[in-house]
């Protein structure tokens, strides 16, 4: 990265594409649901020129449906059993009957292809990230291939169900546009015991001032493995920021004794920076409830803090990865998440140019910013989180406090309800002690 | 006002009678001190109490934490371009930094232009 300020006060501006030119692919039309309703997904959802019946131009779609699986009975490739679950220690699916282990293929080669991110243009979405159709119900009725009976699955709560007649396990794998089946899933790698130990250690460090009721009711064994819905986004963007910066030219004092004050002279510069960059696997919440991070009313910021995940290792969807875990369903479309993405891209741009303003020793005040999104690629993904939830009510105000463990890296963060009374006593004790010292100094020097 | 707060704090903690009398002595010392003297030292107690409360609260509740996506996302950027043009001079200011400095507050949005 070039430190422009340090090398030359007025560097020549390198030629670059006109940043004010609007990009035709930037808009995100909401016609993806129509494409998504077709079971045979194609590599591109864009209309062909000259086709009078073509739908309006929409985002390009990458088919990510796991063609090997369908809704209903999906058997072990070795013995045909449907009792399949994830073995977290290996990250593989294991047949409970014959112990055969296998894994679905990684999604990244299918999504990323051969091209470089700097060549990314337009909007590309995985078929599992298509717009949600409100008309599509979350409750599915599947016909059991084992005995023919009908089994109901509420995808808001589970992605599999056991046939109550023949005991086969039926799983949901078709990408119907209700947000239940994503493009990919990143399996748990941190086992339950490790998560419990991490949560216990986290809470143990925060025991002294924890609320009395929390200390009495704390049971980390109740931690639940949850697959949270996210959008994993690649982007190719350009950004401009303009503002003013000050460089100190002189520092001096005026007055004498107690009236002595320091004054500064400074040169003021108008500053402009442009940066072109790509981001790889920016991870954004795709559930409206989880995206709300108002710390006055919830502790969703805790779950956000344990990001990032090693999303490159995500695999094609197979509902059996969720057996024994719970999941939350995506309820946000690409268009709803776009503003969050742009906020994060602008923040990254501001972070990237920081190294070029170090010469402004009195700081920089950015006043305008501009973002040109040349290309984005969206993949919906379930990411693994061990979640300990504690419902706490105090003076009529209720809040769920989370302690969350990243199901891949083990990173732990949490919120522990505090005893405000004990906190006040501690603050008063320290305050009084410091005040006593201050008073002693004053009395001694009076 | 400061004296009232200190007296209230000492009242709440009835066992600390010596502290109350010391505060009274100090208030006399402060009153006799010239303006701009060392009277500001009396703020040290409330300030440290507040800092302890806020620091412990944040350690337990982690309300200030979020994903540090600016540093934790894989970003590949091209060489940064731009310009710096001197437009003005400031003389004899007591400010130690430019007003509204936000060079390191990446998430504070400013006017968005097209």
């Amino acid at each position: 990265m070039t430190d422009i300020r340090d090398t030359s006060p007025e560097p020549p501006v390198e030629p670059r594409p006109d940043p004010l030119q609007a990009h035709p692919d930037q808009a995100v039309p909401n016609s993806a649901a129509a494409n998504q309703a077709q079971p045979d997904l194609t590599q591109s959802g864009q209309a062909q020129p000259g086709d009078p019946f073509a739908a309006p131009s929409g985002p390009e779609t990458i088919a990510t449906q796991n063609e090997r699986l369908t809704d209903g009975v999906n058997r072990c490739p070795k013995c045909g059993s449907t009792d399949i679950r994830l073995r977290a220690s290996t990250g593989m699916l294991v047949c409970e009957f014959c112990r055969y282990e296998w894994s679905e293929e990684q999604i990244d080669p299918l999504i990323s292809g051969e091209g470089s991110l700097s060549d990314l243009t337009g909007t590309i979405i995985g078929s599992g990230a298509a717009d949600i159709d409100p008309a599509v119900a979350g409750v599915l009725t599947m016909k059991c291939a084992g005995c023919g009976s009908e089994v109901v699955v509420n995808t808001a709560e589970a992605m599999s169900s056991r046939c109550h007649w023949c005991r086969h396990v039926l799983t949901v794998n078709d990408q119907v546009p209700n947000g239940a089946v994503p493009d990919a899933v990143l399996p748990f790698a941190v086992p339950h015991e490790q998560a419990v130990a991490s949560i216990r250690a986290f809470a143990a460090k925060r025991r002294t001032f924890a609320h009395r009721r929390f200390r009495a009711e704390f049971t980390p064994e109740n931690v639940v493995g949850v697959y949270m819905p996210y959008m994993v986004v690649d982007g190719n963007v350009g950004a401009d920021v303009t503002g003013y910066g000050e460089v100190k030219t002189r520092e001096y004092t005026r007055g004498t004794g107690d009236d002595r004050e320091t004054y500064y002279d400074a040169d003021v510069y108008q500053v402009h920076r442009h940066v072109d960059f790509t981001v790889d696997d920016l991870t954004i919440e795709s559930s409206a409830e989880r995206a709300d991070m108002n710390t006055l009313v919830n502790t969703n910021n805790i779950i956000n803090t344990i990001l990032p995940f090693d999303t490159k290792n995500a695999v094609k969807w197979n509902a059996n990865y969720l057996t024994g875990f719970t999941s939350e369903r995506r309820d946000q479309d690409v268009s709803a998440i776009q503003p969050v993405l742009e906020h994060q891209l602008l923040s990254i741009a501001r972070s990237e140019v920081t190294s070029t303003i170090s010469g402004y020793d009195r700081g920089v005040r950015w006043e305008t910013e501009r973002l040109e999104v040349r290309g984005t690629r969206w993949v919906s993904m379930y990411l693994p989180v061990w979640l300990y939830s504690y419902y706490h009510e105090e003076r009529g105000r209720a809040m769920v406090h989370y302690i969350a463990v990243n199901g891949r890296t083990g990173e732990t963060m949490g919120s522990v309800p505090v005893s405000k009374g004990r906190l006040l006593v501690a603050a008063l004790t320290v305050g009084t002690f410091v005040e006593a010292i201050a008073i002693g100094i004053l009395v001694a020097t009076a | 006002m400061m004296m009232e707060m200190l007296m209230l704090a000492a009242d709440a903690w009835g066992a600390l009678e010596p502290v109350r009398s010391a505060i009274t002595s100090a208030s006399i010392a402060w009153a006799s001190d010239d303006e701009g003297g060392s009277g500001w030292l009396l703020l040290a107690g409330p300030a440290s109490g507040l800092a302890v409360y806020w620091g412990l609260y944040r350690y337990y509740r982690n309300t200030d934490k979020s994903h540090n996506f600016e540093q934790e996302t894989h970003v590949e950027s091209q060489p940064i371009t731009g310009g710096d043009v001197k437009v003005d001079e400031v003389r004899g200011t007591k400010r130690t930094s430019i007003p509204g400095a936000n060079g390191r507050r990446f998430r504070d949005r400013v006017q968005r232009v097209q």
Side-chain angles (χ1 to χ4, degrees), chain B residues 6-108:
Chain B
L6 289 170
M7 294 300 280
L8 266 174
D11 273 338
W13 214 325
L16 292 171
E17 186 58 34
V19 175
R20 290 184 61 188
S21 55
I23 289 172
T24 310
S25 315
S27 65
I28 295 163
W30 192 7
S32 64
D33 193 17
D34 288 339
E35 197 179 331
S38 52
W40 59 269
L41 261 178
L42 286 176
L43 292 173
S48 57
L50 205 65
V52 165
Y53 188 95
W54 184 233
L56 282 171
Y57 184 84
R58 288 216 308 197
Y59 180 65
Y60 277 67
R61 295 274 285 102
N62 287 305
T63 50
D64 58 323
K65 301 291 191 304
S66 67
H67 172 37
N68 185 13
F69 57 83
E70 294 93 341
Q71 268 71 50
E72 293 181 331
T73 305
H74 183 68
V75 176
E76 276 186 19
S77 62
Q78 300 298 311
I80 297 162
T81 59
D84 308 75
V85 181
K86 186 179 169 183
V87 291
D88 201 0
E89 292 179 355
V90 177
R91 295 284 171 262
T93 180
K94 287 198 277 188
R95 287 186 285 101
T96 55
S97 64
I98 191 169
N102 57 9
R104 294 195 173 275
R105 296 205 301 270
F106 311 135
R107 297 186 190 183
D108 287 1

Side-chain angles (χ1 to χ4, degrees), chain A residues 179-203:
Chain A
V181 176
D183 294 304
V185 57
L186 186 62
F188 274 89
V190 171
H192 180 265
E193 308 79 54
Q194 189 183 329
V196 170
S198 297
I199 291 168
R200 195 185 297 282
F202 183 89

Side-chain angles (χ1 to χ4, degrees), chain A residues 9-10 206 264-266 268 270 274 276 278 304 343 350 360 362 365-366 369-370 414-416 429 435, chain B residues 13 42 45 59-62 67 76 78 81 84-85 87-88 90 92-93 95 98-99 102 105 109 113:
Chain A
E10 293 181 29
R206 291 162 179 80
Y264 304 92
D265 291 348
V268 182
Q270 190 169 39
H274 175 87
D276 292 311
T278 60
N304 177 262
H343 164 67
R350 291 262 295 273
Y360 291 104
R362 286 173 54 82
R365 179 183 67 249
W366 297 121
E369 54 193 6
R370 195 188 60 79
S415 169
V416 173
T429 306
E435 191 67 12
Chain B
W13 214 325
L42 286 176
Y59 180 65
Y60 277 67
R61 295 274 285 102
N62 287 305
H67 172 37
E76 276 186 19
Q78 300 298 311
T81 59
D84 308 75
V85 181
V87 291
D88 201 0
V90 177
T93 180
R95 287 186 285 101
I98 191 169
N102 57 9
R105 296 205 301 270
R109 293 278 68 83
V113 293

